[in-house]
């Protein structure tokens, strides 16, 4: 998930496998996805074709029936089955097959956030009282339907007639849990159970009910109802809501124990599109692979073909480059940034010094003072790992020396809290270089500080024979100086698959976001912590992604006929570059794309870069897909990649410009086409912020639009004599008519084609 608990997932999956349940997940046989492109006949005929192919490969009708996991026939064509390597290879050679690949595991990658983005609950212009025909699909861990965020008290009848979905029954969930707000709920676990065995009796709900909290959090952020006085035990108190509180929500549970299989994900995409969703929010990701060997890329491609907007989280592997995932150009890939709010837990020292730390600390200590020690001073002398005691790792601490004390632990490891807790510690001061970026819920009183503040605390410890301290409960602090920066955990570009497409596309609040939570999961996500809440504060690109989904729903309410690409363009060209990261000699766009979303501005962008199905087919030609493959993917039987003037990646009408230059010198021309969605007549002129050491010329430099929906093109030439390998330079083209500002970010870098 794009929040942080992968270790717990691995433990649960390991336990399932240790119980001899992973029969289909053996090295000999596992779930594979057979992707065959666009639907070309009735579901019944396609299913029959899939069965025949499987029977041919397995040489048995009975074996084929047992092996089939899914038949995809709604918005795409293909199937998932339990196969050996040899059987998968055999099917890959059959007619009509685009790709065959293993179904791998992917991981899951608010009160103030919408106010921060300019959608004020008290402003009738920014909170539509209608908009109830917009349907948001959320692929995640399910939903806690009793949450006030999913109440339908403010949602009118009837449910939109376009809705064809279902509310399926299962553990502690039935059709009565759906309503006019939560109009659908499905679950997908055939592939997960094929690989890891039945989940019954494992603590999960075999139903759309959310056992983890992540799905409820993302769904309520995207489209939750207005909930006054929501908070986490008083922290972040305010009105929780989505961007369009009257929007409908449909949940598709694809993740179990924090993991999500490709085959289950693809099944959810397939059905969500034909169920009638308008948008899909997807806070899940994996390792970047070829676009048509990736369930997310495949599912979203066919969703876009059917007019469904898809937003995905970029991942939580920052601050390193080339870590962004969900890279296909038809996806809107979302980074995470901070808001103007932090949660401060003050550390009181016995020498009257106070140190401000960061935490979501709701656990007051009962005494005014506690003994204070550093981890390396309370090591277990009999442990072979005692040298690591400063990090408070498992097996390094002496229980007798820790009991009843506040312990200073380096490294920023959340697991350190557990080991101090097990040793009977009263509290923890966590030392991390990223302490002030993110607040965490800990299982005992704790506060996080950076090393500079830790030095003061260590100096105090060393200055007296009886150091004492206290950790105060957190308070909510709002300050404009906190906003907005790219979150340290947010995955960065460049795009590992197609370097000339900028990723991430955009950023949104993803740090310390309050939203609905599942009471089945502790607020610290630790099984030894029995505190629960209806709302929780967590961080990740999982949290920023549904903000963009909600913003897209907000735009779609005002412009129901706009294409997914037009909505994406409106969000990107009206976004605001992050403070301190927008100049011509940084890699800022690789961190946050176009900038932070401005939903109100996006409803009136003036111009948009629209993209249709033909544009995407030409893009696929430019990255070496064959005409035959593209025919299957697109469903256009007579399509052929142009042989004269073959298309370039730079020809895609994308709302950003990325040029990955191999040679050092540069002379590249790109073209773009605007569609006028604002006032007319109007004339736009361009303002060029050229990247350092790059000459930029735009032709023409002004564009005249006489009517709404007029289309006008321009070209931009980029020249540079020398760019050092690894050098990044950025800039922008900004078109304005005096009312609208349409900004296109530019990122150019030189790299070695032989580098890793």
């Amino acid at each position: 998930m794009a929040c942080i608990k992968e270790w717990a997932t691995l433990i649960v999956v390991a336990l399932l496998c240790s119980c001899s349940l992973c029969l289909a997940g053996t090295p000999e046989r596992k779930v594979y996805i057979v992707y065959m492109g666009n639907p070309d006949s009735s579901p019944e005929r396609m299913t029959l074709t899939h069965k025949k192919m499987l029977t041919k490969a397995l040489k048995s009708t009975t074996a084929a029936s047992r092996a089939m996991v899914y038949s995809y026939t709604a918005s795409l064509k293909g199937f998932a089955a339990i196969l050996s390597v040899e059987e998968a290879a055999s099917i890959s050679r059959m007619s009509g097959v685009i790709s065959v690949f293993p179904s791998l595991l992917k991981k899951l990658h608010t009160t103030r956030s919408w106010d921060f983005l300019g959608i004020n609950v008290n402003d009738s212009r920014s909170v539509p009282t209608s908009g109830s025909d917009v349907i948001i699909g959320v692929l995640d861990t399910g939903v806690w339907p009793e949450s006030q965020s999913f109440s339908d008290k403010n949602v009118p009848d009837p449910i939109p007639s376009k809705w064809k979905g279902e509310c399926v029954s299962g553990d502690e969930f039935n059709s009565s849990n759906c309503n006019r707000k939560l109009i659908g709920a499905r679950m997908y676990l055939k592939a997960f159970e094929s690989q890891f065995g039945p989940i019954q009796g494992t603590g999960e709900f075999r139903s759309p009910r959310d056992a983890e909290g992540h799905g409820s959090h993302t769904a309520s952020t995207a489209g939750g109802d207005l909930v006054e006085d929501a908070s986490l035990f008083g922290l972040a108190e305010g009105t929780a809501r989505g961007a369009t509180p009257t929007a409908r929500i449909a949940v598709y549970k694809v993740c179990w124990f924090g993991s999500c299989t490709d085959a289950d994900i693809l099944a959810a995409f397939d059905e969500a599109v034909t169920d009638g969703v308008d948008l899909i929010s997807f806070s899940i990701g994996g390792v970047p692979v070829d676009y048509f060997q990736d369930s997310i890329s495949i599912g979203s491609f066919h969703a876009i073909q059917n007019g469904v907007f898809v937003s995905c989280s970029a991942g939580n592997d920052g601050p390193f480059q080339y870590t962004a995932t969900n890279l296909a150009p038809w996806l809107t890939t979302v980074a995470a940034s901070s808001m103007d709010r932090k949660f401060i837990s003050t550390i009181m020292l016995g020498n009257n010094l106070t140190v401000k730390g960061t935490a979501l600390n709701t656990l007051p200590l009962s005494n005014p003072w506690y003994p204070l020690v550093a981890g390396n001073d309370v090591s277990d002398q009999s442990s072979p790992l005692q040298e690591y005691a400063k990090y408070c790792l498992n097996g390094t601490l002496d229980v007798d020396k820790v009991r009843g004390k506040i312990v200073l632990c380096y490294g920023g490891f959340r697991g350190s809290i557990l080991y101090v807790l097990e040793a009977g510690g009263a509290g923890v001061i966590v030392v991390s270089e990223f302490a002030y970026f993110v607040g965490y819920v800990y299982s005992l009183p704790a506060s996080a500080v950076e090393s500079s503040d830790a030095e003061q605390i260590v100096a105090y410890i060393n200055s007296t024979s009886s150091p004492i301290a206290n950790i105060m409960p957190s308070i909510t602090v709002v300050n404009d100086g906190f906003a907005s920066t790219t979150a340290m955990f947010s995955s960065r570009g460049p795009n590992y698959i197609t370097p000339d497409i900028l990723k991430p596309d955009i950023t949104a609040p993803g740090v310390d976001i309050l939203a609905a939570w599942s009471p089945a999961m502790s607020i610290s996500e630790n099984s030894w912590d029995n505190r629960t809440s209806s709302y929780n504060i967590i961080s990740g690109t999982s949290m920023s992604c549904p903000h963009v989904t909600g913003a897209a729903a907000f735009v779609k309410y005002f412009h129901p006929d706009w294409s997914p690409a037009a909505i994406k363009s409106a969000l990107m060209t009206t976004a605001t570059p992050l403070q301190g990261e927008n100049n011509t000699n940084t890699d800022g766009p690789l961190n946050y794309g176009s900038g932070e979303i401005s939903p109100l501005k996006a409803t009136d962008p003036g111009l948009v870069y629209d993209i249709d199905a033909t544009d995407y087919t030409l893009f696929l030609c430019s990255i070496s897909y064959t005409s035959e493959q593209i025919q299957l993917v697109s469903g256009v039987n007579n399509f052929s990649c142009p042989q004269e003037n073959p298309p370039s990646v730079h020809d895609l009408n994308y709302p950003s410009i990325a040029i990955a230059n191999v040679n050092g010198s540069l002379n590249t021309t790109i073209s773009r086409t605007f569609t006028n969605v604002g006032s007319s007549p109007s004339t736009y002129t361009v303002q060029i912020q050229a990247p350092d050491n790059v000459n930029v010329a735009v032709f023409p430099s002004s564009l005249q639009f006489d009517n709404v929906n007029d289309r006008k093109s321009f070209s931009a030439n980029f020249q540079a004599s020398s760019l050092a390998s690894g050098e990044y330079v950025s800039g922008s083209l900004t078109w304005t008519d005096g009312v609208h500002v349409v900004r296109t970010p530019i990122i150019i870098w030189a790299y070695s084609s032989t580098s890793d």
Side-chain angles (χ1 to χ4, degrees):
M1 101 182 35
C3 50
I4 303 126
K5 57 177 180 178
E6 291 89 350
W7 60 273
T9 298
L10 295 175
I11 290 172
V12 172
V13 172
L15 287 172
L16 287 173
C17 291
S18 68
C19 298
S20 301
L21 296 175
C22 298
L23 301 179
T26 62
E28 292 78 22
R29 305 184 70 78
K30 55 188 172 184
V31 178
Y32 283 84
I33 293 171
V34 180
Y35 174 52
M36 302 176 68
N38 210 54
D40 57 2
S41 60
S42 69
E44 294 77 17
R45 292 194 63 174
M46 286 188 285
T47 298
L48 181 61
T49 298
H50 301 159
K51 289 179 178 178
K52 287 180 178 179
M53 294 170 67
L54 200 51
T55 299
K56 182 178 179 181
L58 273 60
K59 300 178 173 59
S60 165
T61 302
T62 302
S65 179
R66 287 200 303 263
M68 183 71 80
V69 178
Y70 288 110
S71 181
Y72 306 122
T73 61
S75 64
L76 58 99
K77 180 181 179 182
F79 61 94
I82 302 168
L83 303 169
S84 67
V85 173
E86 294 77 16
E87 290 161 350
S90 172
I91 292 175
S92 71
R93 294 188 290 269
M94 293 182 185
S95 175
V97 174
I98 296 171
S99 60
V100 178
F101 56 97
S103 173
L104 303 178
L105 287 178
K106 288 182 164 57
K107 60 183 179 180
L108 296 163
H109 273 200
T110 89
T111 47
R112 180 159 180 80
S113 54
W114 288 115
D115 292 329
F116 175 71
L117 293 172
I119 303 182
N120 192 302
V121 68
N122 297 314
D123 187 343
S124 60
R125 296 171 303 163
S126 58
V127 180
T129 55
S130 57
S132 55
D133 284 347
V134 177
I135 303 173
I136 301 172
V138 182
L139 277 61
D140 213 292
T141 66
V143 66
W144 194 263
E146 291 82 8
S147 170
Q148 293 181 66
S149 290
F150 308 115
S151 166
D152 64 356
K153 63 182 179 181
N154 296 315
V155 184
D157 275 329
I159 291 172
S161 59
K162 64 185 177 184
W163 176 246
K164 308 299 180 186
E166 297 180 13
C167 193
V168 303
S169 298
D171 293 345
E172 300 185 33
F173 198 99
N174 57 49
S175 59
S176 67
N177 290 119
C178 290
N179 55 30
R180 295 189 305 274
K181 160 62 83 175
L182 179 64
I183 62 174
R186 295 183 185 268
M187 61 176 174
Y188 303 85
L189 74 170
K190 290 181 181 178
F192 188 90
E193 290 193 325
S194 294
Q195 290 180 253
F196 301 111
I199 66 165
Q200 219 84 43
T202 60
E204 249 286 12
F205 297 108
R206 201 175 191 279
S207 75
R209 184 171 290 278
D210 183 9
E212 301 183 51
H214 192 272
S216 301
H217 200 282
T218 57
S220 63
T221 300
D225 192 19
L226 299 164
V227 181
E228 295 181 352
D229 301 319
S231 73
L232 174 62
F233 300 134
L235 293 177
E237 186 171 5
T239 300
R241 61 191 172 90
T244 308
T246 55
R248 319 286 181 156
I249 295 173
V251 299
Y252 299 81
K253 185 174 179 178
V254 297
C255 300
W256 310 84
F257 308 106
S259 292
C260 334
T261 72
D262 280 318
D264 291 332
I265 289 169
L266 201 53
F269 266 112
D270 191 33
E271 289 196 313
V273 172
T274 53
D275 279 350
V277 302
D278 297 299
L279 312 98
I280 290 176
S281 189
F282 192 82
S283 293
I284 302 167
V287 177
V289 294
D290 180 274
Y291 295 137
F292 293 119
Q293 293 187 2
D294 173 42
S295 62
I296 302 169
S297 177
I298 292 169
S300 60
F301 181 86
H302 293 282
I304 296 295
Q305 274 191 317
N306 285 275
V308 177
F309 176 93
V310 183
S311 57
C312 291
S313 50
N316 294 337
D317 295 316
F320 308 106
Q321 291 185 340
Y322 288 102
T323 52
T325 188
N326 296 324
L327 303 175
W330 42 87
L331 289 168
T332 300
T333 307
V334 187
S337 47
S338 62
M339 291 195 300
D340 58 351
R341 180 181 68 190
K342 288 188 183 295
F343 302 96
I344 304 300
S345 173
T346 300
I347 301 163
M348 313 288 292
L349 301 178
N351 62 353
N352 294 322
L353 180 68
T354 61
V355 177
K356 291 183 178 181
T358 303
L360 300 166
N361 179 26
T362 63
L363 295 169
L365 286 163
S366 56
N367 298 328
W369 297 104
Y370 289 80
L372 172 65
V373 295
N376 54 313
D377 292 333
V378 290
S379 64
D380 183 347
Q381 297 299 307
S382 65
S383 170
L385 301 174
Q386 62 173 289
E387 63 182 294
Y388 301 108
K390 70 177 294 186
Y391 304 110
C392 304
L393 300 182
N394 189 23
T396 65
L397 301 177
D398 186 320
V399 173
D400 293 330
K401 296 177 182 177
V402 170
R403 187 177 296 113
K405 297 181 175 66
I406 293 173
V407 185
L408 179 75
C409 300
Y410 281 82
F413 303 114
R414 292 181 74 188
S416 301
I417 305 296
L418 166 63
Y419 306 130
V420 173
L421 180 66
E422 288 180 335
V428 177
I429 300 172
V430 179
V431 184
S432 168
E433 290 309 309
F434 304 117
Y436 299 136
F437 283 95
V438 181
Y440 290 112
V441 178
Y442 297 106
S443 304
L444 77 170
S447 186
V449 299
E450 292 186 346
S451 57
S452 58
D453 288 322
E455 290 174 4
Q456 298 182 64
I457 299 172
V458 171
Y460 165 64
I461 292 173
N462 293 334
S463 71
T464 176
S465 59
S466 302
I468 55 176
N470 199 341
I471 301 172
M472 308 306 293
S474 296
I475 60 172
T476 305
V477 178
V478 177
N479 186 322
D480 288 342
F482 296 151
S484 295
T485 59
T486 306
M488 59 86 187
F489 57 76
S490 185
S491 291
R492 269 70 165 170
N495 185 326
Y496 183 78
I497 302 298
T498 312
D500 293 288
I501 297 294
L502 175 61
K503 292 290 179 172
D505 290 304
I506 204 163
T507 192
V511 177
D512 297 339
I513 304 301
L514 180 85
W517 194 247
S518 167
M521 174 61 74
S522 159
I523 59 171
S524 64
E525 303 177 62
N526 295 328
S527 59
W528 53 87
D529 184 355
N530 60 10
R531 293 174 298 158
T532 62
S533 174
S534 298
Y535 289 82
N536 199 8
I537 300 170
I538 56 177
S539 299
T541 54
S542 278
M543 286 62 257
S544 56
C545 172
H547 278 92
V548 170
T549 313
F554 185 71
V555 174
K556 189 169 183 65
Y557 161 70
F558 288 99
H559 304 285
D561 59 337
W562 279 12
S563 70
I567 294 173
K568 176 177 179 175
S569 174
L571 291 170
M572 290 178 64
T573 60
T574 59
T576 304
L578 298 191
Q579 300 171 13
E581 299 183 54
N582 177 40
N583 55 63
T584 61
N585 59 357
T586 73
D587 56 359
L590 298 179
N591 301 340
Y592 57 73
S594 294
E596 189 164 69
I597 55 170
S598 301
L600 279 174
K601 291 181 181 178
T603 63
D604 183 23
L607 306 173
V608 295
Y609 296 103
D610 209 352
I611 302 175
D612 62 20
T614 301
D615 296 319
Y616 286 126
T617 56
L618 293 173
F619 165 77
L620 294 175
C621 291
S622 74
I623 57 172
S624 302
Y625 283 89
T626 68
S627 297
E628 292 75 16
Q629 289 173 319
I630 297 171
Q631 287 175 16
L632 292 171
V633 167
S634 65
V636 181
N637 294 329
N638 60 353
F639 177 82
S640 180
C641 289
Q643 298 304 306
E644 294 185 17
N645 300 317
S648 163
V649 172
H650 295 136
D651 293 332
L652 185 65
N653 202 35
Y654 213 66
S656 59
I657 297 170
I659 302 174
N661 184 264
V662 177
N663 300 317
S665 62
L666 174 68
N667 188 351
T668 298
T669 299
I670 65 95
S671 60
R672 292 289 188 270
T673 299
F674 279 128
T675 300
N676 180 31
V677 294
S679 55
S680 60
S682 58
T683 300
Y684 286 80
T685 57
V686 68
Q687 300 169 2
I688 302 171
Q689 183 187 24
D692 280 358
N693 303 315
V694 177
N695 294 318
V696 182
V698 176
F699 308 97
S701 59
S702 66
L703 298 170
Q704 170 72 40
F705 295 90
D706 297 323
N707 299 292
V708 174
N709 295 323
D710 274 0
R711 292 167 60 87
K712 300 287 184 178
S713 299
F714 69 91
S715 62
N717 177 258
F718 301 86
Q719 294 188 30
S721 58
S722 179
L723 292 174
S725 180
E727 180 182 1
Y728 296 83
V729 290
S730 60
S732 63
L733 302 179
T734 302
W735 295 82
T736 180
D737 64 349
V739 176
H740 304 95
V741 177
V742 186
R743 181 180 179 275
T744 305
I746 301 166
I747 183 76
I748 299 172
W749 71 99
Y751 71 102
S752 170
S753 60
T754 59
S755 63
D756 293 335

